[in-house]
Amino acid sequence: MALTPLGHGLSSVVDPLPETLGAFVLGALLVVLSALVRLPLSVWLGLTHERAFGFSRQTGKEYALDRLKSVAIGAALSGAGMAGLVGAAVLFPGWWPLLAAIGAALLVLLLTFVAPVLLEPVFNRFERLHDPELRDAVLHLAEDAGVPVREVLVADASKRTTKVNAYVSGLGATRRVVLYDTLLQEATRPEVLTVVAHELGHRRYRHVALGTALAMAGAVAFVLAVWALLQIDAVLEAIDAAGAGDARIVPFVMLVGSVLGLLLAPVQASISRTWEYACDRFAVEQTGDLGAFESAFARLSDANLPDPSPPRIVYIWFFSHPTVPERLEAARRAAGSSTVPA
């Protein structure tokens, strides 16, 4: 779309529209077209392959509905981002990089804050942890860890998958620890507490806030990279655009974002793996139960079948978590130290 005559012809569909509206339409359209191009692979990865390994519990209709929701949200957000960038260039030709950079950073912050209450409920229903004994144990663990939480939520993940998982999300008033209901169904109480302690580690070390700050910095760098590239006449000629205030830059902007994301993926993955190791150690320190940690990851391996030894280049580029053998080895070293009970 960005660099070929055929793509330029497709982009011309928005020429009759005001530039800002055209940027929104083109940004949303590109997300939809991308989803259509990738549809066969998406169905194989998300449904056929998952069913083959006994993971997916979704019907074809349920999977299609989830995909439609995901594409619609992605289209709306991408369209809004592109409209903001082009709109800033139209209204403030001399200042648009600064305004767009600030806007992009604020958009990242806003999405991190509202995602738990606006986006996550689109796909899952969340309830409070009803088991009173387990709830008290979780709250006590959180208090001892110095990370008090208002509530631990349970997601109805079992309607989609047999996999077990847990995560943290949100900032400030939207902070939450979420457990898959599959985890509660399959794991023992010590194993659940180990998983919770790991997620509390993310809170203790402010990984969500740090990740948000890094993403905001990345958004600013992305805008500045786009600005620098659009100063080059050869680039404008190649993408058939007049300047930053032209909606036709949208395919190129999204291409730059994709390329930068791919190039920075090893850095992001490395940071994430470092954080996961820190939280594993935190879990072992707080629970003092290496046996529960080992059995929890044995259960995770049985339920999720993670690759224990991926190709090195794939691991470096895309694995946001260490492999299970790596995590077990690191946890055992931590348990063998003087500060962590075995």
Side-chain angles (χ1 to χ4, degrees):
M1 287 287 288
L3 300 171
T4 66
L6 176 60
H8 299 161
L10 291 173
S11 296
S12 68
V13 70
V14 302
D15 285 353
L17 301 175
E19 299 299 342
T20 301
L21 178 59
F24 178 89
V25 172
L26 198 51
L29 180 62
L30 279 167
V31 172
V32 174
L33 289 176
S34 176
L36 289 175
V37 169
R38 293 182 288 110
L39 183 59
L41 183 59
S42 297
V43 171
W44 181 80
L45 283 172
L47 191 63
T48 307
H49 184 263
E50 293 290 290
R51 283 178 174 174
F53 283 87
F55 294 143
S56 178
R57 288 174 170 167
Q58 286 188 299
T59 65
K61 181 179 179 180
E62 290 169 338
Y63 174 79
L65 181 59
D66 270 358
R67 287 298 301 159
L68 286 173
K69 291 177 183 178
S70 179
V71 171
I73 291 172
L77 292 176
S78 295
M82 295 301 99
L85 188 150
V86 171
V90 170
L91 294 174
F92 305 97
W95 291 90
W96 75 263
L98 175 62
L99 297 176
I102 293 173
L106 291 178
L107 180 60
V108 170
L109 179 62
L110 176 64
L111 288 176
T112 304
F113 181 77
V114 303
V117 293
L118 290 184
L119 299 183
E120 291 177 15
V122 173
F123 299 96
N124 287 101
R125 188 176 68 251
F126 298 89
E127 296 181 348
R128 293 182 176 181
L129 181 58
H130 292 309
D131 183 333
E133 293 185 7
L134 180 57
R135 180 180 179 276
D136 289 345
V138 166
L139 295 178
H140 181 70
L141 177 65
E143 185 177 352
D144 285 349
V147 195
V149 296
R150 295 188 182 94
E151 198 61 73
V152 176
L153 300 180
V154 180
D156 60 341
S158 59
K159 69 182 181 182
R160 290 187 177 84
T161 183
T162 62
K163 293 181 179 180
V164 299
N165 201 3
Y167 66 90
V168 293
S169 63
L171 292 170
T174 66
R175 291 180 302 174
R176 55 178 56 187
V177 175
V178 178
L179 307 177
Y180 278 20
D181 57 355
T182 50
L183 177 68
L184 298 178
Q185 293 163 7
E186 299 294 332
T188 65
R189 181 165 298 177
E191 291 168 354
V192 171
L193 291 177
T194 293
V195 172
V196 170
H198 172 93
E199 300 305 329
L200 292 175
H202 286 299
R203 285 293 176 209
R204 178 63 182 269
Y205 299 133
R206 303 184 184 278
H207 288 160
V208 175
L210 289 171
T212 302
L214 289 173
M216 292 172 69
V220 171
F222 164 64
V223 171
L224 295 179
V226 168
W227 167 75
L229 289 169
L230 292 180
Q231 304 307 301
I232 303 172
D233 290 339
V235 169
L236 292 176
E237 182 178 353
I239 65 176
D240 192 30
D246 186 340
R248 285 171 172 258
I249 70 167
V250 166
F252 178 70
V253 171
M254 296 178 73
L255 174 63
V256 171
S258 296
V259 171
L260 289 177
L262 183 62
L263 293 176
L264 291 174
V267 178
Q268 295 172 322
S270 177
I271 292 172
S272 178
R273 291 193 299 269
T274 299
W275 289 353
E276 293 301 321
Y277 278 128
C279 292
D280 286 348
R281 180 181 176 89
F282 183 83
V284 174
E285 289 176 340
Q286 292 303 312
T287 63
D289 193 342
L290 177 62
F293 186 94
E294 292 175 325
S295 62
F297 275 90
R299 191 177 302 280
L300 182 148
S301 292
D302 291 340
N304 297 3
L305 298 181
D307 192 338
S309 183
R312 192 62 185 171
I313 188 67
V314 175
Y315 178 83
I316 291 172
W317 226 270
F318 299 114
F319 268 53
S320 60
H321 289 57
T323 65
V324 170
E326 288 175 330
R327 298 177 76 168
L328 289 173
E329 181 183 354
R332 288 164 183 152
R333 287 199 304 269
S337 72
S338 59
T339 60
V340 181

mmCIF file of all heavy atoms in Angstrom, residues 32-49 63 67:
data_model
loop_
_atom_site.group_PDB
_atom_site.id
_atom_site.type_symbol
_atom_site.label_atom_id
_atom_site.label_comp_id
_atom_site.label_asym_id
_atom_site.label_seq_id
_atom_site.Cartn_x
_atom_site.Cartn_y
_atom_site.Cartn_z
ATOM 1 N N VAL A 32 -8.217 -3.681 8.507
ATOM 2 C CA VAL A 32 -9.168 -4.668 7.998
ATOM 3 C C VAL A 32 -8.550 -5.476 6.858
ATOM 4 O O VAL A 32 -8.655 -6.711 6.821
ATOM 5 C CB VAL A 32 -10.463 -3.974 7.536
ATOM 6 C CG1 VAL A 32 -11.401 -4.983 6.868
ATOM 7 C CG2 VAL A 32 -11.166 -3.309 8.712
ATOM 8 N N LEU A 33 -7.889 -4.788 5.914
ATOM 9 C CA LEU A 33 -7.262 -5.490 4.793
ATOM 10 C C LEU A 33 -6.168 -6.439 5.277
ATOM 11 O O LEU A 33 -6.037 -7.568 4.784
ATOM 12 C CB LEU A 33 -6.674 -4.475 3.813
ATOM 13 C CG LEU A 33 -7.677 -3.668 2.990
ATOM 14 C CD1 LEU A 33 -6.953 -2.634 2.130
ATOM 15 C CD2 LEU A 33 -8.523 -4.578 2.114
ATOM 16 N N SER A 34 -5.388 -5.993 6.245
ATOM 17 C CA SER A 34 -4.336 -6.840 6.806
ATOM 18 C C SER A 34 -4.932 -8.095 7.442
ATOM 19 O O SER A 34 -4.418 -9.210 7.277
ATOM 20 C CB SER A 34 -3.528 -6.059 7.836
ATOM 21 O OG SER A 34 -2.565 -6.886 8.457
ATOM 22 N N ALA A 35 -6.037 -7.914 8.163
ATOM 23 C CA ALA A 35 -6.698 -9.055 8.795
ATOM 24 C C ALA A 35 -7.219 -10.034 7.746
ATOM 25 O O ALA A 35 -7.152 -11.256 7.934
ATOM 26 C CB ALA A 35 -7.839 -8.564 9.683
ATOM 27 N N LEU A 36 -7.727 -9.519 6.636
ATOM 28 C CA LEU A 36 -8.234 -10.386 5.573
ATOM 29 C C LEU A 36 -7.099 -11.161 4.908
ATOM 30 O O LEU A 36 -7.230 -12.358 4.623
ATOM 31 C CB LEU A 36 -8.989 -9.549 4.539
ATOM 32 C CG LEU A 36 -10.336 -8.981 4.991
ATOM 33 C CD1 LEU A 36 -10.917 -8.070 3.918
ATOM 34 C CD2 LEU A 36 -11.320 -10.105 5.315
ATOM 35 N N VAL A 37 -5.969 -10.487 4.667
ATOM 36 C CA VAL A 37 -4.820 -11.150 4.053
ATOM 37 C C VAL A 37 -4.302 -12.268 4.956
ATOM 38 O O VAL A 37 -3.920 -13.349 4.491
ATOM 39 C CB VAL A 37 -3.710 -10.126 3.758
ATOM 40 C CG1 VAL A 37 -2.412 -10.836 3.370
ATOM 41 C CG2 VAL A 37 -4.138 -9.177 2.649
ATOM 42 N N ARG A 38 -4.300 -12.017 6.245
ATOM 43 C CA ARG A 38 -3.752 -12.983 7.201
ATOM 44 C C ARG A 38 -4.783 -13.976 7.714
ATOM 45 O O ARG A 38 -4.486 -14.813 8.566
ATOM 46 C CB ARG A 38 -3.143 -12.237 8.394
ATOM 47 C CG ARG A 38 -1.917 -11.422 8.032
ATOM 48 C CD ARG A 38 -1.301 -10.723 9.229
ATOM 49 N NE ARG A 38 -2.116 -9.617 9.700
ATOM 50 C CZ ARG A 38 -2.789 -9.618 10.838
ATOM 51 N NH1 ARG A 38 -2.734 -10.668 11.634
ATOM 52 N NH2 ARG A 38 -3.504 -8.582 11.194
ATOM 53 N N LEU A 39 -6.013 -13.888 7.211
ATOM 54 C CA LEU A 39 -7.099 -14.707 7.756
ATOM 55 C C LEU A 39 -6.806 -16.202 7.731
ATOM 56 O O LEU A 39 -7.027 -16.885 8.750
ATOM 57 C CB LEU A 39 -8.399 -14.399 7.007
ATOM 58 C CG LEU A 39 -9.652 -15.125 7.524
ATOM 59 C CD1 LEU A 39 -9.905 -14.770 8.989
ATOM 60 C CD2 LEU A 39 -10.859 -14.767 6.664
ATOM 61 N N PRO A 40 -6.320 -16.777 6.616
ATOM 62 C CA PRO A 40 -6.057 -18.228 6.641
ATOM 63 C C PRO A 40 -5.067 -18.634 7.735
ATOM 64 O O PRO A 40 -5.278 -19.629 8.442
ATOM 65 C CB PRO A 40 -5.495 -18.503 5.238
ATOM 66 C CG PRO A 40 -6.049 -17.407 4.383
ATOM 67 C CD PRO A 40 -6.072 -16.198 5.284
ATOM 68 N N LEU A 41 -3.977 -17.863 7.874
ATOM 69 C CA LEU A 41 -2.989 -18.179 8.903
ATOM 70 C C LEU A 41 -3.575 -17.971 10.300
ATOM 71 O O LEU A 41 -3.322 -18.756 11.221
ATOM 72 C CB LEU A 41 -1.747 -17.315 8.725
ATOM 73 C CG LEU A 41 -0.586 -17.577 9.686
ATOM 74 C CD1 LEU A 41 -0.101 -19.011 9.583
ATOM 75 C CD2 LEU A 41 0.563 -16.607 9.424
ATOM 76 N N SER A 42 -4.376 -16.925 10.458
ATOM 77 C CA SER A 42 -4.991 -16.645 11.762
ATOM 78 C C SER A 42 -5.917 -17.778 12.177
ATOM 79 O O SER A 42 -5.917 -18.198 13.342
ATOM 80 C CB SER A 42 -5.760 -15.328 11.711
ATOM 81 O OG SER A 42 -4.906 -14.236 11.448
ATOM 82 N N VAL A 43 -6.713 -18.286 11.236
ATOM 83 C CA VAL A 43 -7.634 -19.383 11.551
ATOM 84 C C VAL A 43 -6.847 -20.638 11.900
ATOM 85 O O VAL A 43 -7.180 -21.351 12.854
ATOM 86 C CB VAL A 43 -8.583 -19.642 10.368
ATOM 87 C CG1 VAL A 43 -9.395 -20.916 10.599
ATOM 88 C CG2 VAL A 43 -9.523 -18.450 10.174
ATOM 89 N N TRP A 44 -5.769 -20.887 11.144
ATOM 90 C CA TRP A 44 -4.980 -22.081 11.445
ATOM 91 C C TRP A 44 -4.336 -21.974 12.822
ATOM 92 O O TRP A 44 -4.389 -22.912 13.621
ATOM 93 C CB TRP A 44 -3.894 -22.276 10.379
ATOM 94 C CG TRP A 44 -3.082 -23.519 10.640
ATOM 95 C CD1 TRP A 44 -3.425 -24.809 10.352
ATOM 96 C CD2 TRP A 44 -1.809 -23.579 11.283
ATOM 97 N NE1 TRP A 44 -2.437 -25.674 10.767
ATOM 98 C CE2 TRP A 44 -1.437 -24.951 11.340
ATOM 99 C CE3 TRP A 44 -0.946 -22.617 11.807
ATOM 100 C CZ2 TRP A 44 -0.240 -25.369 11.908
ATOM 101 C CZ3 TRP A 44 0.245 -23.039 12.366
ATOM 102 C CH2 TRP A 44 0.594 -24.396 12.409
ATOM 103 N N LEU A 45 -3.721 -20.813 13.113
ATOM 104 C CA LEU A 45 -3.041 -20.645 14.395
ATOM 105 C C LEU A 45 -4.025 -20.592 15.557
ATOM 106 O O LEU A 45 -3.816 -21.206 16.599
ATOM 107 C CB LEU A 45 -2.203 -19.365 14.379
ATOM 108 C CG LEU A 45 -0.877 -19.405 13.624
ATOM 109 C CD1 LEU A 45 -0.280 -18.007 13.552
ATOM 110 C CD2 LEU A 45 0.085 -20.355 14.294
ATOM 111 N N GLY A 46 -5.107 -19.814 15.384
ATOM 112 C CA GLY A 46 -5.994 -19.540 16.504
ATOM 113 C C GLY A 46 -7.067 -20.569 16.739
ATOM 114 O O GLY A 46 -7.626 -20.634 17.837
ATOM 115 N N LEU A 47 -7.366 -21.394 15.722
ATOM 116 C CA LEU A 47 -8.468 -22.341 15.875
ATOM 117 C C LEU A 47 -8.047 -23.763 15.512
ATOM 118 O O LEU A 47 -8.062 -24.653 16.364
ATOM 119 C CB LEU A 47 -9.653 -21.893 15.013
ATOM 120 C CG LEU A 47 -10.972 -22.629 15.248
ATOM 121 C CD1 LEU A 47 -11.461 -22.394 16.683
ATOM 122 C CD2 LEU A 47 -12.031 -22.178 14.252
ATOM 123 N N THR A 48 -7.651 -23.987 14.253
ATOM 124 C CA THR A 48 -7.324 -25.344 13.811
ATOM 125 C C THR A 48 -6.179 -25.952 14.616
ATOM 126 O O THR A 48 -6.275 -27.074 15.127
ATOM 127 C CB THR A 48 -6.945 -25.333 12.319
ATOM 128 O OG1 THR A 48 -7.990 -24.695 11.574
ATOM 129 C CG2 THR A 48 -6.745 -26.742 11.807
ATOM 130 N N HIS A 49 -5.096 -25.219 14.743
ATOM 131 C CA HIS A 49 -3.923 -25.694 15.488
ATOM 132 C C HIS A 49 -4.248 -25.877 16.959
ATOM 133 O O HIS A 49 -3.832 -26.864 17.589
ATOM 134 C CB HIS A 49 -2.795 -24.682 15.299
ATOM 135 C CG HIS A 49 -1.496 -25.082 15.919
ATOM 136 N ND1 HIS A 49 -1.101 -24.634 17.157
ATOM 137 C CD2 HIS A 49 -0.494 -25.891 15.471
ATOM 138 C CE1 HIS A 49 0.095 -25.153 17.446
ATOM 139 N NE2 HIS A 49 0.475 -25.901 16.457
ATOM 140 N N TYR A 63 -15.133 -18.153 17.572
ATOM 141 C CA TYR A 63 -13.820 -17.650 17.163
ATOM 142 C C TYR A 63 -13.969 -16.468 16.211
ATOM 143 O O TYR A 63 -13.269 -15.456 16.335
ATOM 144 C CB TYR A 63 -13.015 -18.767 16.494
ATOM 145 C CG TYR A 63 -11.711 -18.275 15.916
ATOM 146 C CD1 TYR A 63 -10.610 -18.061 16.733
ATOM 147 C CD2 TYR A 63 -11.584 -17.993 14.553
ATOM 148 C CE1 TYR A 63 -9.415 -17.587 16.216
ATOM 149 C CE2 TYR A 63 -10.396 -17.522 14.029
ATOM 150 C CZ TYR A 63 -9.314 -17.319 14.860
ATOM 151 O OH TYR A 63 -8.141 -16.843 14.345
ATOM 152 N N ARG A 67 -12.563 -12.594 16.595
ATOM 153 C CA ARG A 67 -11.723 -11.960 15.588
ATOM 154 C C ARG A 67 -12.338 -10.640 15.123
ATOM 155 O O ARG A 67 -11.642 -9.647 14.933
ATOM 156 C CB ARG A 67 -11.531 -12.893 14.388
ATOM 157 C CG ARG A 67 -10.615 -14.067 14.656
ATOM 158 C CD ARG A 67 -9.215 -13.622 15.012
ATOM 159 N NE ARG A 67 -8.614 -12.821 13.945
ATOM 160 C CZ ARG A 67 -7.605 -11.993 14.128
ATOM 161 N NH1 ARG A 67 -7.078 -11.833 15.331
ATOM 162 N NH2 ARG A 67 -7.108 -11.308 13.107
#
